[in-house]
Amino acid sequence: MAIPSEQITSICAHCDRAIPAPNIDLHYAHCSRNLQKCKVCGDMVPKRHAEEHYLNTHAPVACSLCSETVDREILAVHRGENCPQRIVTCEYCEFPLPAVDLFKHQEVCGNRTELCHHCSRYVRLRERHDHESRCPSSPDIAAGPSRDTSPSASEREEGAHRRQPHDISRKRLFFTIAITGIAVLLGSFFFQRKAENHSLQ
């Protein structure tokens, strides 16, 4: 059975596409005159846009942070991970600064000291996390194994006896304040009566 000529294809020597055999000559003339294969990606692009295609798609670009020229495909990775001028944060003070300055900054910043509120010792910031896990006065460490720390009956009774003097002195204070208040009221009352009698005379 004969194959229709429209279904017979030929490969264009310029663009490597399969073209119906009856149209191959016309296609090749048009293709070779107007299209150009990109040497980087292999796409066929119009000859008048070939340079623009290369510049916009494949040409190395300068990093806007450090001016280093890198391939366009890895520009995002360069800016996020490798650029010496990318902004990073100090792990001790959270100050943002260029990555190129981070090492020297942390050498100084990490040697600053901070007071440990558990043991009242000054600890370097670079050693803070290690100190917190080993600080002998830390609540987690000082607590030790769990045990019953509730006071016994005798301890509660002893504590009650120790608190009694404070309770007595507090009652005496309230009594003294009350007596003083009454005395002031009586004094002001008698003074007012005396002033009234003097005015009547």
Side-chain angles (χ1 to χ4, degrees):
M1 181 177 179
I3 300 176
S5 59
E6 292 82 3
Q7 296 182 12
I8 300 174
T9 59
S10 298
I11 302 299
C12 174
H14 187 66
C15 67
D16 296 327
R17 290 175 57 193
I19 306 298
N23 302 331
I24 187 64
D25 293 334
L26 181 62
H27 167 84
Y28 179 80
H30 172 81
C31 182
S32 59
R33 183 171 61 250
N34 297 297
L35 300 179
Q36 178 178 327
K37 180 180 287 189
C38 175
K39 296 179 180 180
V40 179
C41 65
D43 289 348
M44 299 301 296
V45 295
K47 286 185 176 181
R48 63 178 181 274
H49 298 314
E51 184 176 359
E52 180 182 353
H53 167 80
Y54 175 76
L55 292 175
N56 292 338
T57 310
H58 307 298
V61 292
C63 173
S64 59
L65 300 176
C66 66
S67 301
E68 180 182 348
T69 301
V70 297
D71 291 337
R72 186 181 297 271
E73 290 81 2
I74 64 170
L75 178 61
V77 176
H78 168 79
R79 286 180 176 174
E81 300 178 8
N82 303 322
C83 179
Q85 294 298 328
R86 71 187 188 280
I87 300 301
V88 294
T89 303
C90 172
E91 64 176 293
Y92 305 118
C93 67
E94 299 184 355
F95 180 77
L97 71 165
V100 68
D101 300 326
L102 180 64
F103 179 78
K104 290 183 178 179
H105 172 84
Q106 290 192 156
E107 280 293 307
V108 176
C109 192
N111 282 321
R112 292 188 299 114
T113 57
E114 188 176 75
L115 180 66
C116 174
H117 298 293
H118 300 305
C119 65
S120 299
R121 291 177 54 193
Y122 283 92
V123 182
R124 290 181 179 180
L125 293 182
R126 67 172 66 255
E127 301 169 354
R128 179 176 54 192
H129 296 297
D130 185 58
H131 173 79
E132 288 176 353
S133 63
R134 299 182 180 182
C135 178
S137 300
S138 174
D140 296 334
I141 298 177
S146 60
R147 59 182 181 180
D148 185 12
T149 57
S150 58
S152 62
S154 59
E155 290 174 340
R156 288 195 296 270
E157 184 178 353
E158 183 180 353
H161 287 307
R162 283 198 299 265
R163 287 193 297 270
Q164 284 180 359
H166 296 288
D167 295 338
I168 294 173
S169 61
R170 188 176 300 172
K171 290 178 181 178
R172 288 178 179 173
L173 177 62
F174 289 152
F175 180 75
T176 303
I177 293 174
I179 293 298
T180 304
I182 294 172
V184 170
L185 289 174
L186 291 175
S188 61
F189 175 74
F190 287 122
F191 178 78
Q192 184 177 4
R193 291 290 301 273
K194 185 177 181 181
E196 290 176 355
N197 293 335
H198 181 73
S199 62
L200 291 175
Q201 293 176 358

